[in-house]
Amino acid sequence: MQNRLLPMRHVKYEALWVGCVYFLILLTIALWVRDVPGQLDPFSTIQQVINHVGLDDPTYFGMAAVDIVENGWVSHAKGTAFVFNLWPPGFVLLEALVLKVLGLDAPVILVLQVLASILFAFVLVLVYEILSTSVRSAFAFILPLLLFAFPVTRVFLLEPIGISLGESFAIGFFLIGLLLTFRSITLRSIRYAVYAGLCIALAAYFRSQFELILLALTGWGILLGGIIKLMHFREKIDPELAKSAIKTMVVLLLVAHAATSPWRAYHWMNQGKPAWVLTSGLVFQNAIKTTDDLSAAGGFVAAGGGNLVCRIDPTTCGDTVNAKASFIKVFMEHPIEWYSLKLDIIGKYWFSPLNYSVAAPASQSTLLDLLTNGILLLALIVAVSLLFARKVRSHSSWITLMWFSAALLSAYLAIFTLAHFETRYFYFPKIAGVVMLLILACLYVRPMDKAEIVSPEVER
């Protein structure tokens, strides 16, 4: 028994020191690297965050966090009640917890950067453990750090801009959920599926688009579960793999939906419907406004194609009563024109330069912007291509990657179709593309699993 435990202890100690090194590297990036000028100082207090001119979201988050610390919850009296209608509560509650423990004068940005560095050190360790099965330890250690070789990743996940928006934590928890699901199926362990479900739920609590991804995971999980059962019935899939995959999917989804149900119940009790956020009304209202009206309020919604209904059918402009009906009618009757208008501007957003504005491109893309974002686009294309390679499909973990990839692609197709573009909406697809490429490339060069998706007899 002792001999069997020694290797396990060795693996745990190795993961610990690797994680510590990753943490120190990430914290160094967070504190010292500035890819965009004019950012907040790490030692900024919450009041300095609120007063900082640049982004609106951090101001509202900070005001709501202070209100919770002083009065117990968001309130109409302090003008913060609307915050939990437009955003889920995760980041605000995290800020409030920091302020409650350390005081209102605490260096809130610094604390959040430390927490984000810990979170992504864990992400990198999980990627390292996957890569170490295929490449030498030195390469397995270096390759995950490629994620932070790109300015967009450093800015959005570690630097004060990204930290103040809270999306760092949503992305971190989602990636951990993906990697733990990968581990659950490959190791036939339901325990990791439970952890993965909790992480997916936490991602949704920090940013609303991850709740939509959870719904996509649910739909694709039901479909893939049915396909796996059919393949099992026809003896085209290993029985143990089929059982493990379905158990993982069911457990993850049950845990994630159970963990998100309290927030749905909160909105049901207070707004009369179990919606995650109440932003769909804004999408419909913006859709029937003229470009001049939206420009007077900032202009980034119109620039991102947020008023296509009014632009395609001018008779709908200003008809707030029938905004939802007009939205559905115009989209269903003019899908080609709708997508043409979207495709006309999507390249500008993907290749946009990094600046303090995360809503609309604020300047012309440079050659470096085109190069780095071109590499990220290529990484995404190669990752999707590898997903269907036979060498990758031969591994048991392919089910996980296919499930998450289908959910991500369908969720973002819905977001990019129905909502206006913002530059930050493209940041997570870029980050996810790099992570998926690392994992899929690892599977491509790794020898086949003993548990194959398709049996050798059927393959012949």
Side-chain angles (χ1 to χ4, degrees):
M1 180 66 71
Q2 187 176 3
N3 292 333
R4 292 177 62 186
L5 290 175
L6 282 175
M8 189 177 297
R9 290 198 188 104
H10 174 72
V11 170
K12 289 182 178 179
Y13 286 137
E14 180 184 16
L16 180 61
W17 74 257
V18 168
C20 289
V21 176
Y22 280 146
F23 167 73
L24 293 175
I25 293 173
L26 296 179
L27 188 60
T28 300
I29 294 172
L31 298 180
W32 298 106
V33 177
R34 291 294 176 268
D35 293 285
V36 174
Q39 297 188 54
L40 285 161
D41 187 273
F43 291 92
S44 298
T45 64
I46 195 65
Q47 196 58 50
Q48 290 171 320
V49 173
I50 293 171
N51 295 337
H52 190 77
V53 177
L55 300 174
D56 291 334
D57 293 12
T59 296
Y60 299 139
F61 297 156
M63 291 170 58
V66 172
D67 198 8
I68 290 174
V69 171
E70 293 180 342
N71 302 298
W73 199 243
V74 293
S75 62
H76 291 287
K78 295 290 185 178
T80 63
F82 77 97
V83 171
F84 284 166
N85 291 336
L86 301 183
W87 294 280
F91 185 63
V92 172
L93 293 178
L94 178 60
E95 283 191 322
L97 177 62
V98 172
L99 299 177
K100 190 72 173 179
V101 173
L102 301 179
L104 293 176
D105 293 327
V108 63
I109 295 294
L110 174 62
V111 175
L112 294 173
Q113 285 181 302
V114 171
L115 295 176
S117 297
I118 294 172
L119 185 67
F120 282 97
F122 191 49
V123 171
L124 296 186
V125 167
L126 291 174
V127 176
Y128 163 80
E129 291 182 344
I130 293 173
L131 298 182
S132 62
T133 62
S134 301
V135 298
R136 295 189 179 189
S137 296
F139 290 109
F141 176 81
I142 294 171
L143 286 175
L145 289 170
L146 289 177
L147 181 63
F148 292 91
F150 299 95
V152 64
T153 310
R154 297 193 297 266
V155 169
F156 204 47
L157 301 182
L158 297 176
E159 296 179 31
I161 289 179
I163 289 295
S164 64
L165 290 168
E167 296 196 41
S168 306
F169 299 94
I171 293 172
F173 281 120
F174 184 84
L175 292 177
I176 292 172
L178 163 64
L179 295 165
L180 290 179
T181 307
F182 184 97
R183 178 175 288 192
S184 175
I185 289 181
T186 54
L187 298 182
R188 311 288 197 265
S189 173
I190 296 303
R191 173 166 56 100
Y192 290 115
V194 174
Y195 299 154
L198 291 174
C199 287
I200 298 298
L202 283 170
Y205 272 107
F206 276 90
R207 273 289 166 173
S208 57
Q209 64 262 39
F210 290 93
E211 184 263 348
L212 179 60
I213 295 172
L214 171 58
L215 297 180
L217 282 170
T218 304
W220 281 105
I222 293 171
L223 178 61
L224 288 176
I227 293 173
I228 292 170
K229 290 289 287 184
L230 180 62
M231 292 176 69
H232 180 213
F233 178 74
R234 295 184 177 182
E235 298 182 348
K236 292 183 179 181
I237 188 172
D238 179 82
E240 288 300 315
L241 174 59
K243 184 178 179 181
S244 173
I246 291 175
K247 275 188 176 181
T248 293
M249 290 178 177
V250 170
V251 170
L252 184 152
L253 292 173
L254 288 176
V255 171
H257 282 291
T260 53
S261 60
W263 189 243
R264 297 189 189 282
Y266 170 83
H267 271 155
W268 201 346
M269 290 186 294
N270 289 277
Q271 278 79 30
K273 51 185 176 180
W276 193 248
V277 289
L278 307 176
T279 55
S280 59
L282 291 177
V283 173
F284 299 139
Q285 293 299 318
N286 287 332
I288 49 87
K289 290 182 179 180
T290 65
T291 299
D292 289 339
D293 289 338
L294 289 174
S295 297
F300 68 91
V301 175
N307 64 334
L308 295 189
V309 174
C310 178
R311 288 164 61 182
I312 293 173
D313 184 358
T315 63
T316 64
C317 297
D319 186 5
T320 57
V321 176
N322 300 304
K324 182 177 181 180
S326 297
F327 189 101
I328 298 172
K329 181 175 182 292
V330 170
F331 175 69
M332 296 299 293
E333 293 180 354
H334 304 275
I336 296 177
E337 187 175 0
W338 187 286
Y339 280 109
S340 296
L341 291 170
K342 288 280 188 176
L343 290 173
D344 282 343
I345 59 175
I346 194 170
K348 181 173 67 173
Y349 280 81
W350 181 275
F351 291 96
S352 64
L354 283 171
N355 48 54
Y356 212 92
S357 171
V358 293
S363 59
Q364 191 69 27
S365 299
T366 66
L367 181 60
L368 182 60
D369 296 323
L370 296 174
L371 178 61
T372 54
N373 287 299
I375 293 172
L376 289 166
L377 179 59
L378 180 62
L380 185 60
I381 293 171
V382 173
V384 173
S385 301
L386 283 176
L387 189 64
F388 296 96
R390 182 181 178 278
K391 286 185 179 180
V392 174
R393 288 186 290 112
S394 68
H395 293 277
S396 60
S397 50
W398 178 78
I399 294 176
T400 299
L401 300 175
M402 190 65 191
W403 182 30
F404 273 78
S405 297
L408 285 171
L409 290 172
S410 57
Y412 271 92
L413 177 62
I415 292 171
F416 290 154
T417 296
L418 304 177
H420 65 278
F421 290 160
E422 291 189 23
T423 56
R424 64 174 171 175
Y425 293 171
F426 293 82
Y427 293 166
F428 177 60
K430 294 175 182 179
I431 294 166
V434 175
V435 174
M436 294 294 283
L437 177 60
L438 289 172
I439 297 173
L440 288 163
C442 168
L443 295 183
Y444 189 82
V445 301
R446 184 195 296 178
M448 285 188 185
D449 291 349
K450 292 182 179 179
E452 295 180 341
I453 299 297
V454 180
S455 67
E457 292 77 15
V458 175
E459 190 66 19
R460 285 197 295 267

